[in-house]
Amino acid sequence: MDLDGTLRELRRAAVPAFADAVFIHLDDPLPVGAERSAAPLVLRLHSSERALPAPELADAVPPPPQLPEVAERVEPASGGRLAELLRDGRPAFGDAPGNAPAVAELLAAGTDAPGTPPGHRLIIAPLHGSHHVMGTVLLLRSTDRPAFAGDDLLVASQLATHTALGVQKAVMYGHEAAVADTLQHTMLPSSLPEPTGVRLASRYLPASKTAQVGGDWYDAIPLPGNRVALIVGDVMGHSMTSAAIMGQLRTIVQTLAGLDLPPNEVLHHLDEQAQRLGSDHIATCLYAIYDPIAHRLLMANAGHPPAVLLYEDGRAEVLGVPPGAPIGVGGVVFESVEMAAPTGATLVLYTDGLVESRETDIGSGVEALRTRLEGTARGLTSLEVLCDDVLGTLGPGARDDDIALLTARFEGFPPDSVGYWFLAPHPMTAGQARRLTRRALRRWGLDSLIDPTELMVSEIVTNAVRFASRPLSLRLLRTDVLRCEVTDDSPQVPRMRQPGPGDESGRGLCLVNQLALRWGATRVSSGKVVWFEQKIPPK
């Protein structure tokens, strides 16, 4: 199913056993499918082969008689003889009655040029696919060997038929591969987010055989509270279907991540949805949540190769998270494991194409990756360089599977840039929140932001007190912006509306919308988070 390979086999079969030269013109562009193009037919010389004497006889044997040159580009006239021969689809001798114009179109110098072999020494064999003309094969014999006989038209017909079928299959195969490649790359993230407290880098490496498109994917999704979800997955199989299923699963994961569910629940719901897509679709997935403020990592695994944690001192550890069963099996309990995420450590997530091959089992491959990381990571400060070094150890050999690689370096969040309080919901809570906000901003030297921040905090906390049944939380985060988050246990997300002149409520979020750089409200598993950000003025 390789176009160049198909034509190479034709040249090898035809020259020198059957002809002294073969010239192959293909339709430009080659047609795909059954639809007919309204554009005029254009043939381009794709490849050719001429018989040469053996190297050891090159000096003793006289050179073969000169054969004519052929046209690089041919536009058969719609009512001409060449177009008629192509439509007919049967091989014909070049010197047959009425075929001279067709030969003249194919040969660069025309049939009367010096050196053109006389007699049955030229065969035009059209390449016919199931629905279209794919091109033509020109077979020539020189004057130092017998001319073509009538039965040779049957041989030329067989050569052309097999070649046309191979060309058509190669075109369809290449088209499907290109569509699947495009589909897969479109469904992968075009860029990674840049959340505070973690640096990210990724790589995607397709399989060596272009048509073997897989369902490998990765993603990084910002979550409330400056956390980030890190995901890598792999749909079993290599086809356009695998890429399409991958896209659906990735969309499902993004939706589940927006609900702020723990990793084990995300995988549980993903497993349920995957079964609705069909029992034939199996996938592996590893889902992790990094909290840069708590310096913790929460992770669950669904049959995926284990993650590797590379510490700042160069030591690498394979994380012992229970693997679970793959997504799509059904009836499986997934387990979330919480662990420390030290500042400066790097989490390496990958698909099995990086660690498994025909020669290496996955266990040995994971250990080899851990060893490679320890050997290459010393002194490396850039995640991009680390990704390149990890993939560079694969070597130039052919790969049977795609590779998705996602790395995350934990930078954490400075404790002196966080203010975090739990507040009981009562009428005095808004005033308490204003006082806490004022003290924190003065400590950070942000006196110019005190008044607008107090006003917005008061409005959001007042709204939270109305609906909360348990203590709510107020958190201030100082990065390149000042971020405020108010969390309560009510799932009712506030929506901004335009109040009328006589309305006594509804103006709080309008004030927040006017004063904040950005704001939003997110429903989480324990309730909701309402947040806003302000630009920190330069010192």
Side-chain angles (χ1 to χ4, degrees):
M1 290 185 286
D2 174 68
L3 178 61
D4 292 335
T6 297
L7 300 183
R8 184 172 55 250
E9 291 301 321
L10 168 63
R11 298 194 305 268
R12 185 180 300 170
V15 178
F18 183 67
D20 292 308
V22 58
F23 300 93
I24 307 167
H25 289 83
L26 295 183
D27 193 359
D28 183 24
L30 281 166
V32 179
E35 293 186 6
R36 297 186 178 275
S37 173
L41 179 65
V42 176
L43 302 177
R44 288 190 183 275
L45 182 62
H46 188 280
S47 59
S48 62
E49 185 87 14
R50 293 174 183 267
L52 297 174
E56 61 273 11
L57 302 176
D59 296 332
V61 177
Q66 185 179 3
L67 293 172
E69 296 296 328
V70 301
E72 294 283 340
R73 185 177 186 273
V74 181
E75 294 188 40
S78 58
R81 181 56 179 162
L82 179 58
E84 185 180 337
L85 288 175
L86 293 176
R87 286 193 299 269
D88 182 61
R90 290 178 294 182
F93 291 118
D95 63 340
N99 285 350
V103 176
E105 287 189 77
L106 288 170
L107 297 184
T111 52
D112 297 330
T116 301
H120 287 355
R121 299 186 180 277
L122 186 148
I123 294 178
I124 302 174
L127 299 175
H128 259 247
S130 301
H131 308 282
H132 305 280
V133 174
M134 312 295 290
T136 182
V137 177
L138 201 61
L139 299 159
L140 294 101
R141 279 186 181 177
S142 61
T143 56
D144 63 343
R145 66 184 294 179
F148 289 115
D151 290 343
D152 288 331
L153 289 178
L154 298 177
V155 178
S157 177
Q158 288 293 322
L159 289 173
T161 299
H162 285 285
T163 302
L165 293 175
V167 169
Q168 179 176 298
K169 185 180 294 186
V171 170
M172 294 297 295
Y173 193 66
H175 176 70
E176 180 180 344
V179 171
D181 260 335
T182 302
L183 176 66
Q184 186 175 43
H185 280 89
T186 302
M187 291 180 177
L188 291 173
S190 57
S191 61
L192 293 174
E194 298 180 1
T196 302
V198 60
R199 280 190 289 163
L200 303 172
S202 63
R203 293 290 187 274
Y204 172 75
L205 206 62
S208 297
K209 297 179 180 179
T210 307
Q212 286 195 340
V213 176
D216 295 28
W217 94 89
Y218 61 87
D219 214 340
I221 305 171
L223 301 177
N226 281 83
R227 295 169 302 147
V228 60
L230 306 168
I231 309 107
V232 65
D234 184 5
V235 178
M236 302 301 181
H238 296 86
S239 65
M240 193 151 43
T241 301
S242 299
I245 294 297
M246 175 269 287
Q248 295 180 71
L249 293 182
R250 179 172 174 250
T251 302
I252 294 171
V253 169
Q254 289 176 331
T255 303
L256 294 171
L259 301 177
D260 198 22
L261 300 173
N264 61 312
E265 291 190 28
V266 170
L267 295 183
H268 171 74
H269 292 299
L270 181 63
D271 181 52
E272 289 183 333
Q273 296 300 318
Q275 293 178 63
R276 296 178 183 178
L277 298 178
S279 58
D280 296 335
H281 307 308
I282 301 297
T284 63
C285 184
L286 196 151
Y287 189 98
I289 296 177
Y290 170 60
D291 188 338
I293 298 175
H295 300 274
R296 304 294 291 177
L297 187 65
L298 191 62
M299 186 181 302
N301 193 347
H304 200 80
V308 178
L309 188 61
L310 179 63
Y311 292 92
E312 197 170 17
D313 60 4
R315 179 171 52 91
E317 174 189 0
V318 178
L319 299 182
V321 179
I327 297 297
V329 173
V332 179
V333 177
F334 301 101
E335 180 181 351
S336 292
V337 176
E338 187 175 6
M339 62 196 74
T343 301
T346 302
L347 183 68
V348 180
L349 307 177
Y350 54 91
T351 53
D352 57 359
L354 182 65
V355 294
E356 188 178 28
S357 65
R358 295 177 181 177
E359 296 79 23
T360 307
D361 64 87
I362 195 166
S364 302
V366 171
E367 178 59 27
L369 173 63
R370 187 194 67 80
T371 304
R372 288 201 304 266
L373 285 171
E374 286 188 342
T376 61
R378 298 183 185 276
L380 292 179
T381 58
S382 169
L383 284 182
E384 301 292 337
V385 175
L386 178 62
C387 289
D388 290 338
D389 282 353
V390 169
L391 295 181
T393 57
L394 295 173
R399 295 178 307 278
D400 298 325
D401 202 356
D402 299 1
I403 297 173
L405 176 66
L406 177 64
T407 59
R409 179 157 295 162
F410 304 144
E411 295 181 336
F413 213 97
D416 60 354
S417 295
V418 181
Y420 202 171
W421 305 275
F422 288 96
L423 307 173
H426 56 72
M428 305 300 294
T429 302
Q432 183 184 6
R434 289 195 298 270
R435 290 192 297 272
L436 294 170
T437 299
R438 188 183 314 119
R439 292 173 188 170
L441 295 187
R442 284 177 177 169
R443 186 171 68 250
W444 292 337
L446 301 177
D447 296 59
S448 62
L449 296 180
I450 290 178
D451 289 342
T453 306
E454 276 192 32
L455 177 58
M456 288 187 284
V457 166
S458 180
E459 294 293 342
I460 293 177
V461 170
T462 299
N463 188 69
V465 168
R466 290 177 55 196
F467 300 99
S469 59
R470 289 196 289 265
L472 53 92
S473 66
L474 168 65
R475 183 158 69 174
L476 297 176
L477 305 171
R478 181 188 61 172
T479 58
D480 54 338
V481 296
L482 176 65
R483 182 182 175 96
C484 172
E485 298 174 349
V486 177
T487 306
D488 64 76
D489 63 338
S490 171
Q492 185 172 347
V493 176
R495 302 296 180 192
M496 188 179 69
R497 60 185 177 86
Q498 192 65 38
D503 293 342
E504 297 183 0
S505 61
R507 290 180 171 81
L509 289 181
C510 289
L511 286 172
V512 173
N513 187 59
Q514 289 294 323
L515 296 174
L517 178 66
R518 295 189 307 157
W519 75 278
T522 305
R523 184 179 286 112
V524 296
S525 58
S526 58
K528 69 174 178 293
V529 177
V530 183
W531 57 271
F532 65 84
E533 292 179 350
Q534 290 177 279
K535 186 176 181 180
I536 294 179
K539 293 184 179 179

